[in-house]
Amino acid sequence: MDFQLTLAPMLERAGTLYPRVEIVSRRPDRSLHRCTYLDLALRVRTLAGALIAAGLQRGERVATLMWNHSVHLEAYFGVPLAGGVVHTLNLRLPPQQLAVIANHAGDRFLIVDDVLLPLLETFIRDARFERVFVHRSGQASSDHYEDYEALLKTAPDDGPLPQLNENDAAAMCYTSGTTGDPKGVVYSHRALVLHSLALAMADCFGVSHHDSVLPVVPMFHANAWGFPYVATLVGAKQVLPGPHLDAENLLDLCEREQVTLATGVPTVWMAVCAALDKSPRRWRLAPGLRLAVGGSAPAESLIRRFDAHNIRLIHAWGMTESTPIASICHLSPSLGEMSEDERYAIRAMQGTPVAFMEARVMSQGGAVPWDGKTMGEVQLRGPWVAASYFNLPELRDKWTEDGWLRTGDVVTVNEQGYLRIVDRTKDLIKSGGEWISSVDLENAIVGYAGIREAAVIAVPHPQWDERPVAVIVANEPKPKPEELNEFLAKRFAKWQLPDAYIFVEELPRTSTGKLLKSALRDRYRDYLNGRFSTA
Ligand code: AMP
């Protein structure tokens, strides 16, 4: 049977089998908006009809500039069901970059939250949107632009929706740009459907209709890791936090909506864990709550601290180019008997590739042995891995000649096939011809009492080519370099220890919360030549 894998049957299933399951959204004024999958299915159809009536052609892009809420979810389905491509703009990017990205993507229409109009005003003159529709929450007003609800009213009654092909483009995101300018990645219907099935598998996140899912990851970052799609597919309740992403608001939502699965980057979970440590009995959370963590590696200590609250942190790895999930870390029977410390060490790894994701780890000499020591770049192939960037043919060498995506992540693989990221290719430190992992040093440094965060970077050195320098955020009293060296010397050879420890108030981050090491490298480029000045 020829059955096209598109988003349409996913939504229809939710509307038919789970008509009363709720989608709860936190409004900017903190009140909660509630609708159901039946409401969603009807409004998505209306949006798709209205976009077609507005002249949207197959494959054309409709941008969103929105927080996580039910209207954004409408666009996640409504734009693709109209034959268009939903392009989520990252509202944390600098305004100039937003205009460049919208123009590069060729976005024709924009749907924007009223609370984000001040941001829109900063770049609208440089962008080329034909029409802008404002989703009003009543928090801000503007007569400049069209009203989103008025757009919905233009939908013809029961107009036909286009016949979709599974290889049609459905969504688009730009990478968060830890290395260079953001690049556009386009997702087909098929990629999103298969990615959702993979996420739902028991050995992945096991998402089911019993779940109440809270995507803290913004819907403008790699499709909120695909959770709005998988939650719809299985008919799980969705809890969308709007602009309120602080620990107290998230924990209140978790308690009130009995969230069973939430997704976020380590920074979010660090704040949540600190709030729980401070008031362990304040929130009555659902038993068996799981927290998906990724985007960057969580410290092993964070996994332990959440275990003490009976909350399971599940670590996964991926990237915008892979929709994003590539691997997940669960303790499998193949690992055999292990001590408690060994179990935690494994859980902090990036884990094994999910079903249908193929990973190979390559160094200059070919595939690396599975010895847990030899480093190589991990390369990916799979049904939801992008085959190119949108309109950037000059970046073709991101893919190997035999069709694998070069991730830029350097890993080791243990005997059971568990991947452990030791660095980005661009962040590895080459000292006297030997590689040093900045991630290993960072993980060890944050284990020292009073150190909150650490970034280890390569700094040019006249004799050794590069040497590691640690940039640290710490409580008072700050540790002395000799104390840190003595602490690290238990695990690292002398030549691997940082040449310097620099204490700062905060570390630079990208719009999606990843450490921006390129900014630190620029800043401390001359540090070991004695030419650096803090002025
Ligand atoms: P992005 O496309 O913005 O999501 O960034 C993808 C990159 O984030 C990956 O190539 C990794 O370098 C990093 N990353 C994502 N997940 C993890 C993780 N669990 N541990 C370490 N790094 C990660």
Side-chain angles (χ1 to χ4, degrees):
M1 190 179 293
D2 174 25
F3 188 91
Q4 295 294 306
L5 299 177
T6 72
L7 298 179
M10 281 169 55
L11 179 74
E12 193 167 321
R13 179 172 191 274
T16 313
L17 295 181
Y18 302 97
R20 285 191 292 277
V21 173
E22 284 184 321
I23 298 149
V24 183
S25 311
R26 176 81 88 186
R27 292 197 189 96
D29 67 0
R30 290 174 201 271
S31 62
L32 295 178
H33 169 270
R34 292 175 184 273
C35 62
T36 64
Y37 277 120
L38 179 60
D39 301 325
L40 180 75
L42 294 172
R43 282 179 59 96
V44 162
R45 220 193 136 74
T46 308
L47 172 60
L51 289 171
I52 293 169
L56 187 76
Q57 302 291 313
R58 258 194 134 87
E60 285 187 337
R61 269 77 62 202
V62 176
T64 60
L65 189 63
M66 292 198 270
W67 293 104
N68 292 13
H69 51 63
S70 63
V71 173
H72 207 167
L73 188 61
E74 268 162 48
Y76 259 46
F77 284 93
V79 176
L81 264 57
V85 181
V86 57
H87 171 206
T88 49
L89 285 169
N90 177 346
L91 56 91
R92 296 204 179 113
L93 288 176
Q96 257 343 88
Q97 213 171 41
L98 281 169
V100 171
I101 288 175
N103 293 340
H104 183 265
D107 295 333
R108 191 168 164 202
F109 304 151
L110 170 73
I111 310 173
V112 56
D113 281 344
D114 55 0
V115 288
L116 293 171
L117 285 173
L119 170 62
L120 179 65
E121 290 305 332
T122 60
F123 70 93
I124 185 84
R125 260 165 233 90
D126 300 315
R128 294 193 286 265
F129 304 117
E130 201 178 300
R131 296 174 70 178
V132 174
F133 305 102
V134 181
H135 158 56
R136 293 182 203 284
S137 61
Q139 293 298 296
S141 70
S142 157
D143 299 330
H144 276 26
Y145 305 110
E146 297 177 68
D147 182 58
Y148 176 76
E149 295 299 323
L151 166 72
L152 296 191
K153 292 206 176 85
T154 63
D157 290 340
D158 258 354
L161 294 183
Q163 202 64 42
L164 298 170
N165 181 290
E166 63 181 20
N167 291 315
D168 289 344
M172 179 181 206
C173 294
Y174 276 68
T175 62
S176 64
T178 36
T179 53
D181 285 336
K183 302 169 266 290
V185 178
V186 175
Y187 309 99
S188 66
H189 281 263
R190 181 173 190 269
L192 296 175
V193 169
L194 293 174
H195 183 264
S196 304
L197 284 171
L199 284 181
M201 286 177 67
D203 290 336
C204 195
F205 284 105
V207 191
S208 85
H209 56 195
H210 296 297
D211 276 313
S212 168
V213 178
L214 167 65
V216 184
V217 176
M219 290 171 79
F220 55 76
H221 182 205
N223 313 307
W225 297 350
F227 280 85
Y229 286 124
V230 62
T232 307
L233 171 69
V234 301
K237 174 175 174 179
Q238 300 199 41
V239 184
L240 302 167
H244 301 293
L245 304 178
D246 57 289
E248 293 227 342
N249 262 299
L250 294 176
L251 282 162
D252 285 344
L253 265 187
C254 284
E255 176 181 48
R256 188 193 281 250
E257 304 303 326
Q258 286 296 287
V259 168
T260 55
L261 173 60
T263 67
V265 293
T267 331
V268 165
W269 298 140
M270 270 152 47
V272 165
C273 198
L276 286 172
D277 288 346
K278 206 167 139 207
S279 323
R281 274 180 288 280
R282 178 164 160 200
W283 292 278
R284 285 178 193 278
L285 302 174
L289 171 61
R290 5 255 220 259
L291 303 180
V293 64
S296 49
E300 188 189 305
S301 55
L302 190 66
I303 304 178
R304 288 179 189 261
R305 282 167 62 202
F306 270 115
D307 273 1
H309 294 287
N310 278 323
I311 296 173
R312 193 168 178 84
L313 204 60
I314 305 174
H315 183 198
W317 161 73
M319 56 201 309
T320 306
E321 291 86 335
S322 61
T323 313
I325 197 153
S327 72
I328 187 158
C329 198
H330 287 297
L331 295 170
S332 88
S334 67
L335 291 161
E337 288 288 302
M338 282 185 296
S339 68
E340 188 175 287
D341 283 351
E342 285 168 336
R343 294 165 79 88
Y344 278 111
I346 293 274
R347 285 181 59 196
M349 291 183 179
Q350 280 67 25
T352 49
V354 299
F356 284 119
M357 183 59 69
E358 292 180 6
R360 68 179 188 187
V361 182
M362 307 296 281
S363 71
Q364 267 153 6
V368 305
W370 286 18
D371 58 6
K373 288 201 285 275
T374 315
M375 297 180 199
E377 183 193 35
V378 57
Q379 301 181 350
L380 296 176
R381 240 164 54 121
W384 52 86
V385 179
S388 62
Y389 289 122
F390 180 72
N391 276 352
L392 286 173
E394 62 277 22
L395 296 182
R396 208 174 296 120
D397 66 357
K398 180 79 181 174
W399 286 264
T400 64
E401 279 179 8
D402 56 347
W404 295 71
L405 170 75
R406 298 182 214 269
T407 63
D409 286 327
V410 180
V411 303
T412 59
V413 200
N414 77 3
E415 267 176 55
Q416 291 82 20
Y418 281 65
L419 304 170
R420 187 172 73 86
I421 294 194
V422 290
D423 237 315
R424 299 280 294 161
T425 40
K426 294 198 167 98
D427 294 337
L428 268 179
I429 302 150
K430 193 156 204 184
S431 171
E434 297 291 338
W435 293 111
I436 301 175
S437 158
S438 65
V439 172
D440 284 352
L441 279 170
E442 285 158 11
N443 286 342
I445 292 171
V446 294
Y448 192 90
I451 293 199
R452 300 211 301 271
E453 285 185 296
V456 174
I457 51 165
V459 172
H461 187 279
Q463 185 181 359
W464 301 109
D465 194 13
E466 289 177 346
R467 291 291 301 147
V469 164
V471 188
I472 294 175
V473 182
N475 300 337
E476 294 293 346
K478 310 252 190 282
K480 296 196 176 59
E482 313 79 78
E483 291 166 344
L484 285 168
N485 275 342
E486 195 186 320
F487 174 72
L488 294 176
K490 291 179 204 133
R491 276 201 254 168
F492 294 88
K494 202 155 167 254
W495 62 272
Q496 294 175 316
L497 300 182
D499 274 20
Y501 298 92
I502 303 170
F503 292 95
V504 295
E505 287 301 311
E506 64 177 353
L507 296 174
R509 295 198 176 269
T510 67
S511 58
T512 50
K514 292 184 209 300
L515 273 180
L516 192 55
K517 289 199 185 172
S518 54
L520 289 174
R521 277 197 296 268
D522 285 347
R523 175 140 198 245
Y524 297 111
R525 184 177 307 281
D526 293 328
Y527 199 81
L528 299 177
N529 284 327
R531 288 200 299 270
F532 176 79
S533 113
T534 45

